[in-house]
Every structure is written in C-alpha cells, then in structure tokens.
Amino acid sequence: MKKIIYALILFQIFISGSVFSQKTLIFKGQNVIIGQQIAIFEDTSNQLDIEAIRNISGFVTSTGQTPNLQLSKSDFWLKFNIKNATQNELLLLEIEYPTLQLCEFYYPENGKYRVVTASDRTNFKDRKYKHQNFIFDIHLPQDSVATFFIRVRSSEQMVLPLILGSPQKISESLLTKDLLWGIFVGILIVMILYNFFVFMSTKDIDYLYYVLYITFIGLTQTSLSGYTYRYIFYDTPELFHKGIIIFPALAGIFAIFFIKNFLHTKDSAPRLDKLLSVGLVLYSIAIIFRISGYDHAAYRMIDISALFSTIITYIVSIKRVYNGYRPAKFFLVAWTLFMTGIILFVLRNLGILEHNNFTNNTMQLGVSLEVTLLSIALADKFNILKKEKEQSQLATLNAIRENEKIVREQNVMLEKMVAERTAELEETNEDLSVTLEDLKQAQSQLVEAEKMASLGQLTAGIAHEINNPINFVTSNVAPLKRDVGMVFDTIEFIETISFEDISDEQKRKKIEAFKEDLDYDYLKIEINHLLNGIYEGSSRTAEIVKGLRIFSRVDENDLKKADINEGLDSTLIIVNNLLNSTIKIIKEYTDPMPLIECYPGKLNQVFLNIMSNAIHAIRKKHGESGNGIITIRTKALEKYITVEILDNGVGMDEVTQHKIYEPFFTTKDVGEGTGLGMSIVYNTIKKHNGTIKLVSKLGEGTSFLIQLPIIFDAENII
C-alpha cells in the first residue's frame, strides 16, 4: 500500500513540472502570526507519513493570517520555514485552537524528523505546557533556517491561528488571554447569580430560562477556548469533546425558551412561535448526533440550527419592536451586539480583519454585552409589569372609592326601604303566625287521624281474634253448669243411700241403678270435653293478649333489645282478620335471630303499615280468590339484620315508587288512607339508622327490604 502511495506522489511531482517554493519566516523576537507563511496539503486518504509529505508538491499557500481548513474528515498537513534572527535558541509555537483530535508537530533533528503528538482526547495532566492551546518547542540556533510540518485532524471546522514567539512573549500573551477570559467568566457568573436570586424572589420563569441560557453560552465559549478542558474535564476529555456540541445546543434550546416566553411569541406571533419550536427539534437532533458519535453531522446540525434560529429570532424581535413592545428593543440590540461579535470573530478567522487583542476577544465582548443588555431587558420588563400592577392597583383603588360613594348613597335609600319593608314584614309575620298555628293544628289532626286509623285497625283485629275463643268459652259454660248440677245430684243421692238401714249389697244396687239412669259415664266424658274447650279458648285469648302486648309495647319510647321475629308474629296476629283465610302467609325466619337495639313498638308499626298495604294490593289484584301470597324473610348478618316483605299484588309504576315516601301521597280511594303510613315507615327506619329498599314491578308485586343495625348508634343517625 505504501508503494502505491509513493508512486502517486512521484507521479504528482512529475506532472507538476515545478518545485513548490516555500516562503521563509524570519523571527525577530516579537510574537508573530505565521498564517501567510504556511503551505497546506489535504490528505484525503489519512495515510501519508512525514517521508511522503516531504516529497509532495501539492501544498497550497495559505491566503490569510489564520488558516481555515473547513469541516473535513481528512488530515491536513501544514508546512512552514523559520529563520531565527535572535540570540534565543528556544522558540515556542502556539496553536490557538484547543479542540484538535490529532496534532503532530514534526521538527528536524540530525537529518531526520522527530514528532511530538498532542490531542484534546488525552488527559490534560499529560501535557508539557499546562495550557489548553497546543504549544510546541522549537530549538533553532541563531541565523539557522529549518522546515517544520504539522499534521492536524478534528471533528469540527479548524481555524488555526499559529503564533510564533519567545517563551517570555508567549507567556505574556497567554497570561493576558487568561486575564481577559477571567473577566469574561466573572461577568457571566455575576449575571448568573444576580438573575438566579431575582428568579428565586419573583418566580418569573423568564429569569430561569435566562440563567440557563447564560450558563450554557458561557460553557460553550469556555469550551471552544479550551478552558473547560483545562479546569473542569481535565480527567475526562471525552466529556469535553461531547460538550463542544452539547453546550451550544443546550444554549440554543434555552435561548429559544427565553425568546418564546420573553417576547410572548405564542400570542403575538403564533406562526413564528411554531418555527422557533422547529429550532428546538434541530438542536435536539444535534445533541443526539453528538452523543451517538456522528460528530460531523452534529457540527453541521448546530450550524443549521443556529442559522435558522437566528433568522427567526430577528424576525420575531423586529415584529415585537414594531408592535411597540419596549423590552423587545433591548433584546434586539443585545442580540445584534452578540451577532456582531460573532461576525467580527469569523472575519478575524478568515483573515479579513487583523489578528489583535480586539479581534481576538470580539466573541467574549459580544456575549458580555448581550447578557448585560438582556438582563436590563428583563429588569425593564419587570418594571413595566410593576408599573402596570401599580396602575391596576390605582384603578382598583379608585373603583373601590367610587363603590364606597355609591354604597353610601344606596345605604340611605336602603335604610328607608328597610324601614318600609320592616313594617310590611311585621304585618306579614302576624299573618304567618296565625297560619303557622293553623298548620300545627292541622298537623296534629292528621297525626291523630293516622293514630285513629291504626287504632281502628288494631281494635278490629283484636275484636276479631278474641271473639272466637271467647264465644267458644261462653258456649261451653251452660252445658258445664248443667253437668256439674247432675254431679251434685249424684253426690246428694249417694249421701241419702248411705244413711238407709239396708245391706251394702242393696245400697250398691240402688247406686248402680241411679248411675244408669243418669248415664254417668257419658257425663264424665262430656265434662272433660267442656273443660278442654274452655281451656283452649282461654289459652287462645291469653295468647292474643300476649301478642297485643308485644305489638303495642307501652314502653315504645325506650330503647331496648327485641326479637324481630316475635314482633313480626305479633303484627300477623293484628292483621289476621284482614287475611280472611284467603291470603297465604309464608314465613322464612332465621332462627335463632339475634336481639337488636331498637324501639320495638315503632318497628311493629312499620311492619303493620307495610303488611296492610300488601293486603290492599293483593285484594285489588286477586280479590277473594285465595291466590294472594305474602312472604316474610328474616336474615342475620355480621352487623345487621334484614327483613324482607314480599307480595304478589298489583305492584307500582315508576311514578308511584318515586313518591311512595312523600307525606300525604296515597293510591287508595278517598277515605281509605291518610297518605302518612309510608312516610312514617321511612322516618322510623331512618331514626334506627337503617335503610329501606323498594323493588316493584307493575302487575307482578312489590318487595320491601329493610336493613337494621344490631347495635344502635345514636351519633350516626342518617
């Protein structure tokens, strides 16, 4: 491969027809920029070595003070001749471009070329001279002439100021540069801290975006000048390499956020706001490219993003200035100064402007002026907002004063109207008092009517239930009295026979004859039968009285433990006369049932009202056909018991279901009900902290499901 390359070099020499003539730089002791004395060759193969380069004739003389090698993946060879016209045999060559991936300095020694290699990819501590710029020793006796070569490669565009000088002059130059950069960084730090404290005080997001922008623009400038490599990433050069693109991309991103928020582009220029958002995407792509290792693509993307965002920013700021937004004027001036500094820096690198302390620091000067004016713009915006707030507060104060005047005037009118209205209200109150008294009397009458209705139903049930067993007792009394009289006659006859003076045999025969005439055996059977009947009648009566006592619960206002099954049975006794043996009762009780804390009498009233309505609904559908069924189920849960009463009556439509618990609502004919029964049911269940659920379907029947707590909680009554 090397043979082929050498052959190509010789061929190039052959066809060139002439030998390249290199200008010689005469060094007289002062620092000098040697750009115009440099010849450049681009090695696209990246494989040529110093021996091949020494014999090649394709070098092109640099036209400017600072060689601009553009963005390329090739190796570039720089060639220059130096004559030392001073007594100082040690000279220094400074390459003022710290981001070189490869930098090889070739110098002649004993007829051969030696090489010193440096790179921004190695640790900073490995350098001979502890500076971010590349500095090489040149040993050249007085009046001697020598040719030197430099091979460079970078993933960024290479603009290479080469400065030749004595160690003392180079040191002084570097010290001056460090001092100026220190001032620049100090300005940035002051602006960052000041605006960060303002942000912490005001919580204005503009200040946060501004602080982040300054931070990353500062990191960008110090990275391009190698100071972050020197002071921050000295042990991690790879991070320094990534940061050269990532820092300006982040600066651009936060600059766009700042611009969008500071100039209110979303409202004032919505289309340009969307274009600025495109800039965010472009900068993000540049970051992704850099992280992924596509260095050249990342560099080009940064150029595109910066150019695109700069143009849109100028258009937006000019538009906002034209619209009369005063802070935009400061922004436009700041941005213009920043761009002017960049343009002057580029013109210096292109050799159009002279390489001096002013042109060397135009970038830093532009950035410093920009961040200062942007800070003034933020302060001006804050002052405008403060002034607007003060004006708003003044307008509010004037409005409050005007309102106070109006209120005072209205108070006079209102006092007059209140006096007139008070007299009317006093008269109305008297009428309302009379009406309220009438309503109380009407309410008392309705409650009494409901009580009388329940009492009538209770009385009718008791009369019907007690009548049968009492009739059974009274019908047996007369026959029993007759039979007892016959027993008394028998006793008297036996006493008479016992005093007669006859034999025992004759006495026995007379007694047997009397018993036969009396039919004594049947008499005993009949007396037992009558006594059993009286016992059954009295027992049934006692049972009914007991059920009545359970139902009525004279102590109904006292909270006590009760058996719900027992209460349901006592209610069935009361409504038994309404069943008339034509309605079947199905009882599905849980036994044993836990006792619950309740008001038993009030719950019995609930059961009575629901059962009465169920009987009424069954009568309307089935009449006396005997097909009516009422099912009563009880269940015991962990903390609750449930009672479900179902019927197969006429059921209810949706309107009736929604109104069933309203006072005075009834589906019965006039005179059959007061409309208070189900209202009393609902309120009673609510008082027990329970729930009642209605399920009904028209034509099929109705179900009421009641849930009651076993332990009564008076504090959580619904």
Side-chain angles (χ1 to χ4, degrees), residues 7 50 73 80 89 191 258 300 341 389 507 527 535 600 651:
I50 185 62
K73 296 181 179 180
F80 53 93
E89 295 185 359
M191 300 304 294
F258 174 76
R300 285 301 182 203
K389 185 177 180 181
K507 290 179 181 180
I527 288 174
Y535 177 76

Side-chain angles (χ1 to χ4, degrees), residues 395-419:
T396 303
L397 181 61
N398 292 333
I400 291 173
R401 289 173 179 172
E402 186 65 25
N403 288 336
E404 288 178 352
K405 180 181 177 182
I406 295 172
V407 168
R408 284 195 298 270
E409 294 174 354
Q410 290 181 344
N411 282 341
V412 175
M413 297 177 61
L414 286 173
E415 287 175 0
K416 182 179 178 181
M417 294 175 63
V418 166

Side-chain angles (χ1 to χ4, degrees), residues 153-180:
R153 185 192 313 144
S154 179
S155 57
E156 280 74 49
Q157 180 178 347
M158 290 181 287
V159 180
L160 302 179
L162 275 75
I163 303 170
L164 180 66
S166 64
Q168 181 181 355
K169 295 295 183 180
I170 290 293
S171 298
E172 292 173 356
S173 173
L174 293 177
L175 182 60
T176 302
K177 292 175 185 177
D178 289 346
L179 179 61
L180 292 175

Side-chain angles (χ1 to χ4, degrees), residues 112-167:
K112 294 184 180 180
Y113 273 90
R114 307 291 183 182
V115 62
V116 177
T117 302
S119 171
D120 68 350
R121 307 297 173 89
T122 60
N123 290 341
F124 184 77
K125 65 181 180 179
D126 296 334
R127 294 193 174 191
K128 177 180 180 181
Y129 294 101
K130 305 307 180 187
H131 198 275
Q132 65 272 16
N133 294 339
F134 295 92
I135 302 174
F136 300 102
D137 294 335
I138 295 179
H139 296 277
L140 192 63
Q142 184 177 5
D143 296 329
S144 297
V145 178
T147 301
F148 301 90
F149 294 88
I150 298 176
R151 179 165 66 170
V152 293
R153 185 192 313 144
S154 179
S155 57
E156 280 74 49
Q157 180 178 347
M158 290 181 287
V159 180
L160 302 179
L162 275 75
I163 303 170
L164 180 66
S166 64

Side-chain angles (χ1 to χ4, degrees), residues 209-232:
Y209 289 145
Y210 175 66
V211 166
L212 292 171
Y213 166 66
I214 297 176
T215 300
F216 286 108
I217 200 68
L219 287 171
T220 298
Q221 297 301 319
T222 51
S223 293
L224 292 175
S225 299
Y227 283 96
T228 56
Y229 172 55
R230 178 176 173 182
Y231 292 110
I232 299 176

